[in-house]
Amino acid sequence: MDIEQKQEELIEYFVKQAETHKGASLANVIVEATSHSSLFAFSEILSVPNIVQLQGTEHSVYLDMLRLFAHGTWNDYKSSAGCLPQLIPDQIRKLKQLSVLTMAEMNKVLPYDQLMQELDVSNVRELEDFLINECMYAGIVRGKLDQLRRCFEVQFAAGRDLRPEQLGSMIQTLTNWLATSDNLLLSIQDKIKWADTMSELDKKHQKEVEDRVEEVKKSLS
Amino acid sequence: EEQVLIIREKLAELYESEQQWSRAAQMLSGIDLDSGIRMIDDTYRLSKCVQIARLYLESAKFAAKNDGSAGFIWQDDDAVNAEAFINKASFLVSNSQQEVLNLQYKVCYARILDLKRKFLEAALRYYDISQIEKRQIGDEWIDEEALQQALTAAVTCTILAAAGPQRSRVLATLYKDERCSKLKIYPILQKVYLERILRKPEIDAFAEELKAHQKALLPDNSTVLDRAMIEHNLLSASKLYTNISFEELGTLLGIAPQKAEKIASRMIYEDRMRGSIDQVEAVIHFEDDTEELQQWDQQIVGLCQALNDVLDSMAKKGL
Amino acid sequence: ENSLLRQVSSLLRRLPAIESGKFQDDFL
């Protein structure tokens, strides 16, 4: 069962929680959601009116926290730690998991050095244990660890919440893919036509040769 | 002979009541089951063979509890004798209509295979026993607890069996049997089936549930469990890594790099793992079972599947 | 539909389907 199906129920649960809570208890809902080990998507919760109304109130830092989990990375948190609530270990782990997903959005081959810098990890063993236990075994990425080339080759990565500005490039990629697929289908059809034509010509040539053989036989006899 | 038989059975009964299993078994072993003088029917022969094998097994189990703690493997005569009598019973059981006796034979046979560390064969027999539908055979009641024990024994033996394709098939059968999800041992079955690396705390918790002979030492001073777990983790690592240094592999498996290399080379040689070892660089290169072009096909299939899932989701949402 | 967008985003990242050096040789 892929990650989206797994977290669908969780999203519904936290959206309902957000709709029925206000103020300080809403902040708790946000902390609970950003700590839950199986939740990696926060856009739906972010769009609940009660959450949006936190803006400008004494709890707006929790709205900022939720936005960080929807689109930010561990480095983003570190650079603005002063104006965000202290994260608990479960939140830190999740933000680092989400950071791996963000890196996987840009590249399919993630260098260890970049991963270690991004995740604040000091050695290969610790990095690989994180990628194995918290990412691959959590089902958010699939891939292979290459120690010789010191990189992590990503075969699959769960999608993070999209920022509005990402839509354009996504549509562009889909358009390119569609065009490539159409061209591929066209060239396959051309190949099929070419093959048919060639086989017709071969058959015709073969027939001519056989007729010629017959003629020669007759003339000999 | 008749009188001798009666005395032997009486003496065996007394030894059994004093839990002197081996002596009770030896007493019954003296009965000449192939005597030409007296007519002995096959059912009697079968029941005696099974009874003797069970007594030897009890004795072997009892000995393991004591010797096992000394940490030395024991090629116990009891296990050998038990197997000898269960093999005799094998020729008789196919014609037997005695359901109780047949069940006792099956349990005995599974336990002997387990004792002799033929874990995969033992697992298949335990699993067969766990699938018994009848809840009463003769005047014996088969309760859920007994079936669960047989199922747990099947899972345990499969986990202890040497990693490889056959074990994977049995693991898949057990993992898909929803009765297993209720077993205490299920979490480790799941991880083993999903080919996930097992960490030391999980292995120690699993070791708590093992029988003495399953914790006995092998000639190379490692235990059956150690070997099974290291091989499993090595296979699991081969699914995660393109290549890994033996230094790191040793750390990951919790063993010395040299030992990791030795076990890896044996598994590659026995064709239970695909890969190659570069001793100069002290690195192992894991190979995928599937060729690159097939991997390409698989990735494309996965991609199209994911695309279909998106389209299905859109259809479901009326988009 | 955020969930759909996430799925599409994840799907697009699976392209190209494979790009290892060994694959290029085998493919050629």
Side-chain angles (χ1 to χ4, degrees):
Chain A
M1 184 206 278
D2 90 329
I3 198 78
E4 282 296 338
Q5 284 166 314
K6 259 192 245 174
Q7 62 187 359
E8 195 170 353
E9 278 172 34
L10 277 173
I11 292 171
E12 278 166 30
Y13 165 76
F14 282 110
V15 164
K16 280 201 180 64
Q17 290 289 308
E19 285 165 347
T20 53
H21 286 75
K22 292 247 186 217
S25 64
L26 196 50
N28 294 336
V29 171
I30 290 174
V31 172
E32 194 190 333
T34 52
S35 310
H36 196 288
S37 63
S38 303
L39 185 62
F40 296 94
F42 304 94
S43 295
E44 289 84 349
I45 304 168
L46 256 179
S47 51
V48 172
N50 290 355
I51 294 277
V52 176
Q53 284 151 26
L54 285 177
Q55 189 67 49
T57 69
E58 58 178 316
H59 304 294
S60 66
V61 286
Y62 288 95
L63 174 56
D64 297 339
M65 176 199 270
L66 194 57
R67 285 192 181 118
L68 174 76
F69 275 78
H71 307 305
T73 64
W74 173 244
N75 272 340
D76 296 337
Y77 170 71
K78 283 192 302 182
S79 51
S80 51
C83 33
L84 283 166
Q86 180 74 28
L87 296 185
I88 60 176
D90 285 349
Q91 288 177 306
I92 293 173
R93 184 187 57 232
K94 180 177 298 307
L95 196 50
K96 290 186 174 181
Q97 287 168 311
L98 292 165
S99 304
V100 173
L101 292 185
T102 296
M103 289 176 73
E105 278 175 1
M106 268 74 93
N107 298 298
K108 290 189 80 163
V109 179
L110 309 180
Y112 275 10
D113 296 330
Q114 195 186 335
L115 280 161
M116 285 158 84
Q117 188 279 323
E118 185 70 34
L119 302 173
D120 262 356
V121 164
S122 54
N123 63 69
V124 167
R125 183 72 266 131
E126 200 184 332
L127 171 67
E128 289 180 348
D129 280 343
F130 179 81
L131 292 171
I132 291 170
N133 294 322
E134 309 302 348
C135 298
M136 289 197 259
Y137 286 173
I140 59 174
V141 290
R142 260 199 321 275
K144 284 286 178 93
L145 299 162
D146 187 325
Q147 276 204 350
L148 275 186
R149 289 168 51 216
R150 288 175 62 82
C151 66
F152 174 43
E153 293 176 10
V154 181
Q155 289 157 357
F156 160 82
R160 272 201 82 173
D161 295 304
L162 273 92
R163 289 179 294 282
E165 64 273 16
Q166 283 177 296
L167 271 179
S169 69
M170 219 167 97
I171 292 170
Q172 187 54 50
T173 307
L174 282 165
T175 310
N176 296 345
W177 186 10
L178 186 58
T180 309
S181 307
D182 284 340
N183 293 339
L184 187 67
L185 289 174
L186 284 177
S187 66
I188 288 175
Q189 267 146 22
D190 291 348
K191 285 284 174 286
I192 290 171
K193 272 201 206 92
W194 173 80
D196 288 346
T197 311
M198 290 309 286
S199 83
E200 283 312 311
L201 288 175
D202 287 352
K203 277 187 197 131
K204 192 158 159 281
H205 176 65
Q206 187 174 357
K207 176 116 183 32
E208 284 163 5
V209 168
E210 281 160 5
D211 294 348
R212 186 90 184 86
V213 164
E214 284 312 310
E215 274 171 32
V216 168
K217 279 183 185 171
K218 279 186 194 120
S219 63
L220 283 181
S221 61
Chain B
E1 276 200 11
E2 199 62 40
Q3 285 71 22
V4 166
L5 184 146
I6 292 168
I7 292 170
R8 281 186 178 278
E9 289 202 334
K10 193 64 195 156
L11 263 177
E13 206 176 291
L14 290 174
Y15 280 134
E16 201 171 329
S17 65
E18 288 167 5
Q19 297 199 349
Q20 294 193 54
W21 315 109
S22 197
R23 299 189 73 167
Q26 286 158 20
M27 193 48 65
L28 291 175
S29 308
I31 296 172
D32 181 0
L33 293 170
D34 305 316
S35 154
I37 301 174
R38 287 178 307 113
M39 280 308 292
I40 300 178
D41 71 359
D42 278 354
T43 301
Y44 177 79
R45 275 201 190 89
L46 176 60
S47 69
K48 280 300 150 226
C49 286
V50 170
Q51 185 184 2
I52 295 167
R54 289 173 79 191
L55 287 167
Y56 274 128
L57 270 177
E58 281 310 308
S59 167
K61 188 170 87 173
F62 187 76
K65 266 208 189 71
N66 302 327
D67 301 350
S69 56
F72 291 103
I73 187 70
W74 34 274
Q75 273 306 333
D76 191 31
D77 295 344
D78 290 338
V80 175
N81 291 328
E83 187 176 25
F85 278 92
I86 214 68
N87 287 338
K88 273 189 187 169
S90 303
F91 295 106
L92 302 161
V93 72
S94 47
N95 306 322
S96 158
Q97 307 309 316
Q98 305 290 321
E99 289 185 307
V100 175
L101 208 42
N102 295 353
L103 177 58
Q104 287 172 350
Y105 162 80
K106 280 187 178 180
V107 173
C108 231
Y109 203 157
R111 285 176 59 196
I112 287 169
L113 291 168
D114 183 352
L115 208 55
K116 293 179 73 68
R117 298 203 302 279
K118 294 177 180 169
F119 289 122
L120 214 49
E121 293 166 69
L124 290 168
R125 287 175 180 274
Y126 279 131
Y127 188 56
D128 177 44
I129 291 163
S130 79
Q131 292 182 299
I132 287 175
E133 264 140 36
K134 287 187 174 179
R135 287 296 172 268
Q136 180 177 6
I137 294 184
D139 51 8
E140 291 218 7
W141 281 93
I142 312 277
D143 63 4
E144 283 311 314
E145 166 68 23
L147 295 179
Q148 268 209 1
Q149 275 175 16
L151 197 55
T152 300
V155 172
T156 302
C157 285
T158 306
I159 291 174
L160 291 176
Q166 262 191 314
R167 172 176 179 263
S168 304
R169 271 195 294 277
V170 179
L171 276 172
T173 304
L174 290 168
Y175 185 65
K176 288 164 187 156
D177 184 328
E178 85 282 347
R179 295 177 299 160
C180 287
S181 57
K182 302 177 188 73
L183 299 179
K184 186 181 169 197
I185 198 172
Y186 181 72
I188 199 162
L189 166 64
Q190 183 174 42
K191 283 206 156 187
V192 171
Y193 170 71
L194 294 173
E195 295 180 324
R196 294 195 168 177
I197 290 175
L198 298 170
R199 302 296 177 172
K200 189 152 179 17
E202 294 160 313
I203 295 173
D204 294 343
F206 176 60
E208 294 298 314
E209 311 291 323
L210 295 183
K211 298 185 194 109
H213 74 278
Q214 291 169 333
K215 288 190 268 196
L217 285 186
L218 296 168
D220 69 354
N221 248 354
S222 70
T223 69
V224 168
L225 176 65
D226 292 342
R227 192 218 55 208
M229 290 296 109
I230 291 169
E231 289 191 356
H232 166 78
N233 281 343
L234 195 42
L235 259 187
S236 303
S238 73
K239 307 294 180 197
L240 297 168
Y241 285 86
T242 311
N243 55 63
I244 185 171
S245 70
F246 278 111
E247 197 65 38
E248 286 288 338
L249 184 60
T251 311
L252 185 67
L253 301 178
I255 57 176
Q258 296 76 9
K259 184 167 183 181
E261 177 177 347
K262 195 174 173 61
I263 292 172
S265 60
R266 192 182 71 229
M267 287 182 75
I268 292 173
Y269 170 73
E270 291 170 357
D271 210 16
R272 288 191 288 135
M273 183 168 70
R274 297 277 303 268
S276 60
I277 288 174
D278 178 341
Q279 282 196 314
V280 175
E281 299 291 332
V283 169
I284 180 170
H285 295 266
F286 295 114
E287 279 153 28
D288 263 314
D289 291 339
T290 46
E291 289 304 309
E292 292 293 295
L293 285 173
Q294 281 169 298
Q295 277 185 53
W296 182 44
D297 285 345
Q298 281 169 8
Q299 299 274 57
I300 290 178
V301 167
L303 198 68
C304 295
Q305 190 57 57
L307 182 61
N308 279 340
D309 293 348
V310 170
L311 294 173
D312 289 346
S313 302
M314 290 172 77
K316 231 182 276 174
K317 290 170 172 144
L319 289 169
Chain C
E1 270 297 329
N2 294 295
S3 162
L4 275 179
L5 284 176
R6 287 191 294 267
Q7 285 180 66
V8 174
S9 161
S10 165
L11 176 68
L12 293 184
R13 252 177 292 123
R14 293 172 72 161
L15 288 170
I18 197 166
E19 54 186 350
S20 72
K22 191 171 179 305
F23 166 71
Q24 296 305 339
D25 302 344
D26 290 6
F27 183 63
L28 288 178

